[in-house]
Amino acid sequence: RDDVESRGLGDVYKRQSLFITGLTYSQTVFMENESWNAVKSKAVKENRMIFMDCYTSWCGPCKGLAQNVFPQPKVGEFLNSNFVCCKYDMEKGEGIMLYKKYKDNIPGFPTMLVINPVDESIVHKVVGYTEPDALITALQDGLDGKTLAVFQKRYEAGERSLELIKDYCKALDVAYDLSLIHISSPRDSTSSRM
C-alpha cells in the first residue's frame, strides 16, 4: 500500500473505486427472482409502487432492455427513486405464478408492470422494448395518473376532447392493448344503415 501511494497511484485507485461505486448505484437495482411476498413487503414498508420487469430467457427485446436500458444512470435513478424494482422470468420459479396472475395484462415480452403493493392491482404497464427517455416518460405518466384505466373511464363516460383522445391513444400504444381498439370500416357503417 505504501508503495502504491508513493507512486501517486492511491488517488487513481480511489477515483476508480468512486466511479465504479457511482456507476453501480445509478444502475437499476432489481430484486431479481425474489419471493413475491418479500417484494410486496418492501414496497409497502417504503410506501412505493412496484416496477416489475416480466421477461423470458429467449426474448431478444428483453435482453436489450437488460443490457441497454436498465443499466443507464438516468433510468436507474428514476426507477430506484420511484419504485421497488423486481424482475421475473415468467417461465421459471415465482414468475410462473405471477404470469398466471397477471397474464391478461401481459400481451408479450417484455412487459413492465407498475403494481400497487397493497392490493396487487396493475396501475400502469409498458409493453415492448422501450428507449430510456420514452420509458421514463411513460412511467412518469403512470405516476401522474395518466394511465390507460383513467383515460378509458373518461372515454366511456362520453368525453371526446382532442386532448383525451391523444392521451388515450398514447396510453393504448404504450400498453399495447389492442383489445380496446375498435375501428369500424366503411362496410360496418354501410351495413348498420340498412
Side-chain angles (χ1 to χ4, degrees):
R1 176 148 172 98
D2 290 335
D3 188 49
V4 169
E5 287 185 7
S6 69
R7 289 184 284 165
L9 295 176
D11 288 337
V12 171
Y13 289 129
K14 288 177 189 172
R15 281 189 298 241
Q16 285 178 339
S17 176
L18 288 173
F19 174 74
I20 291 169
T21 302
L23 183 64
T24 303
Y25 178 74
S26 295
Q27 294 178 348
T28 306
V29 178
F30 285 102
M31 295 178 71
E32 188 165 3
N33 293 312
E34 295 278 339
S35 83
W36 180 235
N37 286 333
V39 172
K40 289 186 306 182
S41 295
K42 181 176 180 168
V44 168
K45 181 179 177 185
E46 296 179 9
N47 195 30
R48 293 192 286 164
M49 295 285 183
I50 296 169
F51 172 86
M52 184 193 304
D53 175 25
C54 305
Y55 71 95
T56 62
S57 62
W58 49 263
C59 168
C62 301
K63 293 175 184 176
L65 280 174
Q67 293 170 359
N68 304 321
V69 178
F70 296 138
Q72 291 207 13
K74 62 184 168 185
V75 174
E77 289 168 15
F78 179 81
L79 289 173
N80 296 337
S81 64
N82 289 290
F83 303 98
V84 169
C85 300
C86 61
K87 59 190 307 168
Y88 291 93
D89 183 328
M90 295 285 110
E91 297 179 327
K92 296 178 184 168
E94 286 206 45
I96 296 169
M97 176 272 296
L98 291 166
Y99 179 74
K100 288 177 184 174
K101 179 178 183 78
Y102 294 115
K103 68 182 175 185
D104 291 342
N105 290 287
I106 304 174
F109 301 104
T111 293
M112 293 154 279
L113 301 175
V114 175
I115 301 170
N116 180 329
V118 176
D119 64 5
E120 300 182 53
S121 63
I122 303 292
V123 175
H124 193 52
K125 70 179 174 179
V126 179
V127 178
Y129 179 89
T130 309
E131 293 292 337
D133 291 334
L135 178 60
I136 291 168
T137 298
L139 292 171
Q140 185 62 58
D141 284 349
L143 291 173
D144 293 341
K146 298 177 184 175
T147 66
L148 182 58
V150 168
F151 297 137
Q152 182 178 353
K153 188 178 284 188
R154 287 171 55 193
Y155 185 84
E156 288 174 353
E159 184 180 339
R160 297 296 187 269
S161 69
L162 180 58
E163 180 182 351
L164 172 65
I165 300 300
K166 289 185 342 188
D167 288 342
Y168 190 25
C169 287
K170 180 181 171 187
L172 284 166
D173 182 50
V174 166
Y176 199 73
D177 198 332
L178 302 177
S179 67
L180 297 174
I181 300 174
H182 175 73
I183 302 172
S184 55
S185 67
R187 180 179 223 176
D188 292 338
S189 61
T190 306
S191 63
S192 66
R193 288 186 211 164
M194 296 180 144

